Amino acid sequence: MDEKEDLLRGENRTDLALEAGERLQNENAVPKGLRVETLHAGQAGAEVTRAYVESREAARRMGKPMGVYITIEAPDLAGEDKGYHREVSGLLSRQIRELLPKRRDREELLVVGLGNHAVTADALGPRTIDHLAVNRHLLSLFGEGVKEDGFTVLCAIEPGVMAKTGIETAEVVASITARLKPDAVLVLDSLAAGSVNRLYRTIQISNTGIAPGSGVGNHRNAINQETLGVPVIAVGIPMVVDAATIVRDAFRGAGRRGGEELNRGDFALQKFQNMYVTTKEIDEMTERLSFTLSEAINMLAG
């Protein structure tokens, strides 16, 4: 295999377990310990896929930690229909609830908005925090009288990025978790997709936590149950695609249509390996989808 063929056959970088599973299916290499269930939700015509990574071999082949990955594919999520977004928020809220610890009395959730508020494509987490109806402070203002059976206490932080704070995000989250002792931590982040078709239209929920920056090759310390001592639910939406994926798909398409050999001199995919792109509507999409995520979390608190 020459350099050009190797680049063309390279794997698209993705944070989505669904795409990693699809790659294995296309290669007829689905490992033992990987179970996938798909159902069509009545709400918003969405498709919900649950991938259960139950063995070390499956985790290695998937490139994902062992755990449960729920993917909501909502075809019109990028649109403006507020009613549609509310339906998706309700569906998302129920999927998150399935992964949270089961309690009848009061529960407390710490919501963490990862990312950089100043970089639009990375601002989904912080923008969602802006719209949350946090209520933990009400306990100190009004006492225990505000509590009910099933009452969910929400508190939230926006830890920023290490380049700005000089502190590892995982250290900030671990310190606050140790102080507050929440029942679970809900981590929100922008993701990278392996296909432009999944930008703004796909939501991933998992109980495996997250490694900030992993989607763009900037791995930071993991935020998960092992590091925090409490369950960690990660929720994200793909907001970027690496440029190499777009170039690779374009050349593959050209090869299929024309059947022509691509010249090595015309192909320099390695130049795009560290470049990430999004669409011109990113400002609007980030604001709209942050409301969708915040509504889902607000529904958890009733």
Side-chain angles (χ1 to χ4, degrees):
M1 182 184 299
D2 65 20
E3 180 183 10
K4 176 188 65 182
E5 291 173 334
D6 182 56
L7 289 170
L8 279 172
R9 297 184 186 182
E11 297 177 7
N12 292 349
R13 183 175 291 171
T14 179
D15 284 326
L16 298 177
L18 179 65
E19 292 182 331
E22 288 174 343
R23 173 179 55 81
L24 293 176
Q25 288 178 335
N26 292 336
E27 296 172 354
N28 293 317
V30 178
K32 292 183 179 180
L34 173 61
R35 291 190 296 118
V36 179
E37 300 174 354
T38 302
L39 61 91
H40 293 277
Q43 300 86 354
E47 185 172 275
V48 179
T49 303
R50 293 188 180 94
Y52 301 87
V53 182
E54 299 174 324
S55 70
R56 288 191 177 90
E57 175 62 14
R60 185 185 68 81
R61 297 291 299 278
M62 290 277 287
K64 307 291 179 186
M66 292 173 60
V68 180
Y69 298 83
I70 302 173
T71 307
I72 299 173
E73 294 184 275
D76 297 323
L77 191 57
E80 298 181 9
D81 188 339
K82 292 183 179 179
Y84 183 89
H85 277 258
R86 184 156 185 84
E87 288 182 2
V88 174
S89 292
L91 176 60
L92 172 58
S93 186
R94 289 189 290 276
Q95 299 303 316
I96 295 173
R97 173 60 65 190
E98 288 190 14
L99 296 181
L100 288 173
K102 302 297 187 292
R103 295 193 58 156
R104 291 186 177 181
D105 56 350
R106 178 174 69 91
E107 67 179 357
E108 184 168 333
L109 302 181
L110 170 62
V111 185
V112 181
L114 298 180
N116 189 337
H117 214 303
V119 179
T120 310
D122 193 34
L124 182 66
R127 296 280 180 86
T128 302
I129 298 297
D130 291 343
H131 306 311
L132 279 186
V134 295
N135 56 18
R136 186 176 184 271
H137 58 295
L138 298 179
L139 294 178
S140 60
L141 291 175
F142 302 107
E144 298 295 304
V146 301
K147 293 192 302 183
E148 301 175 358
D149 286 345
F151 178 72
T152 299
V153 176
L154 292 181
C155 54
I157 61 167
E158 178 191 332
V161 293
M162 190 171 69
K164 184 175 181 179
T165 65
I167 308 171
E168 278 278 3
T169 301
E171 292 180 308
V172 176
V173 178
S175 298
I176 295 177
T177 300
R179 175 73 175 181
L180 300 184
K181 297 180 173 58
D183 296 295
V185 174
L186 189 60
V187 183
L188 315 174
D189 200 8
S190 303
L191 304 180
S195 167
V196 294
N197 295 325
R198 288 201 162 103
L199 284 179
Y200 317 139
R201 295 174 176 84
T202 306
I203 306 173
Q204 178 172 274
I205 313 106
S206 75
N207 63 355
T208 61
I210 196 168
S214 59
V216 294
N218 181 30
H219 294 266
R220 311 307 318 163
N221 292 342
I223 300 172
N224 54 32
Q225 184 163 359
E226 181 179 352
T227 58
L228 299 188
V230 300
V232 178
I233 311 300
V235 181
I237 298 177
M239 307 298 284
V240 298
V241 175
D242 74 310
T245 290
I246 297 174
V247 174
R248 183 182 293 116
D249 289 348
F251 273 102
R252 284 170 176 164
R256 284 195 299 270
R257 290 192 301 270
E260 300 177 356
E261 182 69 17
L262 297 173
N263 295 323
R264 183 190 299 267
D266 296 332
F267 191 75
L269 186 58
Q270 61 269 19
K271 294 181 180 179
F272 300 95
Q273 292 296 321
N274 294 311
M275 184 182 299
Y276 291 83
V277 296
T278 189
T279 67
K280 63 182 180 181
E281 300 92 356
I282 183 62
D283 296 88
E284 181 182 358
M285 292 296 103
T286 300
E287 188 64 16
R288 184 178 299 156
L289 295 175
S290 67
F291 270 108
T292 304
L293 291 186
S294 66
E295 280 299 295
I297 298 168
N298 290 338
M299 289 176 184
L300 291 173

